């Protein structure tokens, strides 16, 4: 694994090739065509595009309810129990995050908080299955009070949907499931088709086609965010366990060849030990080919003069995940502002966050943690201010409103305010 010394070399490497979608121009025209096709031809386009891209003849777009309900019988009891445990913890976390509206009659102001009515969840599939993503997206929406949650997920190569994903959807309270994937499913949920209802917001991660479709369709439909390959930072001092650090970095590297696994430390010895551990453990991984490319091309250990430099790098890079493996965490918790989620201590490892800790694992990537948060109940809520003045309050405030309106040259505004002063 690449080791560099000093903050400047680390910054140069980390800040290269950043962006929501790298080298996306070659995909843009294709996604635009898919979106237009689905807009015009609806279900027919979904069926034809599934045949074209996946080689599957789609007999029925919607999954029947009995298939969803029976899925739990086709997975192990241990897995079902683990999914239920995860669902319980995710539900509890988001319930504690619920927000309340407020009203102040004296000031004539208030705020109403209402959930989005219909949400579409996208769950990647095809070559892999992600029941955890179902729970991490649908449950916060359910806790927020969303009236209807639908889900799109692609069929596997043998033309089936994974029972793990279906069971998780049933646990999470997903009402309807549609067996389409890719950019076409995003367009289907955004516009609505004969089979798929039009949604108000689409959430969930996906490949470059899905991400571009979400980006292009924003405005037609709400989106939670745009997600790229996973990113993890570990800030570690000499007290850190090198084996655990290496295992945590490799756990994220196996996600994707473009995943970024990074450790920032002030210990040369720890850097060497972690690098050695990674080389040893790579050969034991079932996804060695993926993890090896990630580590070789994007893996980094930066040895810094001072761990305060790690705070600067973290706030500038704004990684999806941050693990703090240091003796004293207070300084870091106080000063780190730009990150999706923070894991404190070597036993609060990131894999727990991926599955059972409680917060959603759908977190901002590619620097968007500077201005965005991971999926939570806030993703599915609208905040509606309420203004309710009596005559006296209105007259007093209308004086200032009229003055500002005239200053802006909006005399119609000023007149509407002045009329209230005369009554």
């Amino acid at each position: 694994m690449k080791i560099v010394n000093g903050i400047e070399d680390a910054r140069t490497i980390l800040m290269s090739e950043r962006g929501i979608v790298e080298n996306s121009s070659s995909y843009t025209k294709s996604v635009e065509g898919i979106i237009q096709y689905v807009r015009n031809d609806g279900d027919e386009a979904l069926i034809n595009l599934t045949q074209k891209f996946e080689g599957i003849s789609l007999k029925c777009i919607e999954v029947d309810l009995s298939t969803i309900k029976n899925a739990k019988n086709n997975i192990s009891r241990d897995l079902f129990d683990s999914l239920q445990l995860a669902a319980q913890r995710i539900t509890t976390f988001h319930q504690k995050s619920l927000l309340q509206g407020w009203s102040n009659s004296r000031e004539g102001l208030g705020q109403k908080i209402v959930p989005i009515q219909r949400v579409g969840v996208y769950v990647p599939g095809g070559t892999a299955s992600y029941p955890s993503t179902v729970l991490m997206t649908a449950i916060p929406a359910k806790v927020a009070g969303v009236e209807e949650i639908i889900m799109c997920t692609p069929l596997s190569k043998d033309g089936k949907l994974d029972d793990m994903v279906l069971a998780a959807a049933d646990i999470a309270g997903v009402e309807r499931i549609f067996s389409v994937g890719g950019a076409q499913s995003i367009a289907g949920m955004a516009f609505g088709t004969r089979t798929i209802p039009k949604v108000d917001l689409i959430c969930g991660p996906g490949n470059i086609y899905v991400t571009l479709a979400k980006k292009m369709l924003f405005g037609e439909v709400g989106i939670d965010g745009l997600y790229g390959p996973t990113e993890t930072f570990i800030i570690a001092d000499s007290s850190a366990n090198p084996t655990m650090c290496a295992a945590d970095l490799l756990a994220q590297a196996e996600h994707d060849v473009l995943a970024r696994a990074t450790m920032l430390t002030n210990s040369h010895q720890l850097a060497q030990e972690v690098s050695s551990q990674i080389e040893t453990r790579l050969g034991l991984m079932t996804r060695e080919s993926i993890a090896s490319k990630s580590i070789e091309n994007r893996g980094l250990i930066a040895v810094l003069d001072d761990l305060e430099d790690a705070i600067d790098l973290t706030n500038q890079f704004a990684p999806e995940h941050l693990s703090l493996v240091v003796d004293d965490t207070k300084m870091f918790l106080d000063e780190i502002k730009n990150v999706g989620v923070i894991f404190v201590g070597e036993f609060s490892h990131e894999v727990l966050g991926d599955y059972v800790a409680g917060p959603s694992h759908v977190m901002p990537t590619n620097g968007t943690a500077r201005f965005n948060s991971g999926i939570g109940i806030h993703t599915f809520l609208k905040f509606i201010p309420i203004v309710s003045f009596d005559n006296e309050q209105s007259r007093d405030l209308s004086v200032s409103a009229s003055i500002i309106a005239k200053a802006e040259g909006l005399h119609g505004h000023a007149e509407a305010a002045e009329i209230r002063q005369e009554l």
Side-chain angles (χ1 to χ4, degrees):
M1 191 168 183
K2 184 183 298 180
I3 300 176
V4 299
N5 294 304
I7 188 172
E8 293 306 325
D9 284 349
R11 181 184 287 117
T12 298
I13 294 170
L14 288 170
M15 299 310 295
S16 66
E17 299 182 343
R18 298 226 72 192
I20 290 296
V21 182
E22 295 177 13
N23 303 317
S24 63
S25 58
S26 60
Y27 300 92
T28 300
K29 188 174 182 180
S30 175
V31 174
E32 288 174 343
I34 290 169
I35 289 172
Q36 192 60 42
Y37 188 15
V38 175
R39 182 199 290 268
N40 293 337
D41 292 352
D43 284 353
E44 180 182 350
L46 296 177
I47 291 169
N48 291 341
L49 289 168
T50 299
Q51 179 68 56
K52 176 181 178 180
F53 294 130
E54 301 172 30
I56 295 172
S57 179
L58 192 59
K59 303 299 182 184
C60 186
I61 293 174
E62 184 166 5
V63 182
D64 65 89
L65 187 59
S66 63
T67 300
I68 299 170
K69 293 296 183 183
N70 289 333
K72 65 182 179 183
N73 299 319
N74 300 324
I75 65 175
S76 72
R77 184 68 197 185
D78 285 346
L79 175 57
F80 183 73
D81 289 345
S82 296
L83 291 174
Q84 285 195 308
L85 171 66
Q88 179 184 359
R89 293 187 58 85
I90 296 165
T91 299
T92 299
F93 175 84
H94 292 288
Q95 284 175 336
K96 291 182 181 295
S97 304
L98 281 171
L99 303 172
Q100 300 294 323
W102 60 272
S103 177
N104 186 325
S105 57
R106 180 182 176 187
E107 295 292 333
L109 294 172
Q111 182 170 260
K112 180 181 180 181
I113 301 175
V114 297
I116 291 169
Q117 291 179 281
R118 182 185 288 141
V119 166
V121 170
Y122 183 78
V123 178
T127 59
S129 298
Y130 300 102
S132 59
T133 298
V134 180
L135 303 180
M136 297 289 184
T137 49
I139 290 177
K142 180 67 71 174
V143 172
V146 172
E147 293 178 16
E148 183 180 1
I149 304 170
I150 71 168
M151 186 177 91
C152 283
T153 189
L155 295 165
S156 62
K157 290 183 177 180
D158 60 2
K160 297 179 181 179
L161 286 179
D162 194 287
D163 287 312
M164 294 187 295
V165 170
L166 296 180
D170 192 36
I171 291 170
V174 175
E175 278 84 1
R176 301 173 67 185
I177 301 176
F178 304 93
S179 53
V180 290
Q184 58 268 30
S185 70
I186 304 302
M189 290 189 284
F191 300 128
T193 71
R194 187 176 65 255
T195 303
I196 300 177
K198 177 180 173 64
V199 303
D200 302 307
L201 181 139
I202 297 172
C203 66
N207 63 17
I208 189 170
Y209 293 96
V210 168
T211 302
L212 280 173
K214 288 172 71 177
K215 186 175 183 181
M216 292 177 189
L217 287 165
F218 176 64
E220 179 71 35
V221 67
I223 64 168
D224 55 337
L226 302 173
Y227 305 111
T230 190
E231 307 160 340
T232 192
F233 270 28
I234 295 177
I235 298 179
D237 61 18
S238 59
S239 69
N241 182 312
T243 301
M244 290 184 180
C245 289
D248 290 349
L249 291 169
L250 288 172
Q252 300 313 305
E254 74 172 349
H255 272 295
D256 192 309
V257 296
L258 297 177
R260 286 182 181 265
T262 302
M263 188 176 78
L264 309 177
T265 183
N266 58 355
S267 168
H268 287 276
Q269 181 177 345
L270 179 66
Q272 294 295 334
E273 289 176 349
V274 170
S275 179
S276 177
Q277 283 278 337
I278 284 174
E279 294 304 315
T280 300
R281 299 176 72 84
L282 261 175
L284 305 175
M285 300 180 70
T286 56
R287 292 168 67 89
E288 178 188 1
S289 61
I290 293 172
S292 293
K293 290 179 181 177
S294 168
I295 291 297
E296 180 181 352
N297 297 325
R298 295 205 167 193
L300 179 68
I301 298 175
V303 182
L304 307 173
D305 295 334
D306 193 305
L307 284 185
E308 287 195 4
D309 289 343
I311 294 174
D312 292 340
L313 281 174
T314 300
N315 282 331
Q316 185 175 3
F317 187 87
E320 179 184 14
H321 310 112
L322 171 65
S323 294
L324 295 178
V325 194
V326 293
D327 270 338
D328 184 4
T329 61
K330 186 179 186 306
M331 174 182 70
F332 300 94
L333 291 173
D334 287 345
E335 296 186 30
I336 287 172
K337 310 297 183 184
N338 299 333
V339 65
V341 58
I342 300 174
F343 298 93
V344 181
E346 61 189 12
F347 291 99
S348 303
H349 58 98
E350 190 177 329
V351 169
L352 294 180
D354 286 340
Y355 299 113
V356 296
S360 176
H361 70 202
V362 182
M363 290 287 170
T365 62
N366 286 307
T368 59
R370 292 177 294 110
F371 55 81
N372 202 13
S373 305
I375 283 182
I377 57 165
H378 58 275
T379 308
F380 308 102
L381 296 175
K382 298 181 295 179
F383 298 80
I384 304 174
I386 298 173
V387 179
S388 179
F389 297 133
D390 60 27
N391 290 350
E392 184 177 351
Q393 290 171 314
S394 179
R395 280 195 299 270
D396 291 343
L397 291 171
S398 292
V399 174
S400 295
S402 174
I403 292 170
I404 296 171
K406 287 178 179 178
E408 293 184 347
L410 299 174
H411 293 279
H413 282 62
E415 184 176 358
E418 290 167 357
I419 287 173
R420 269 69 180 186
Q421 299 173 45
E422 298 170 0
L423 297 178

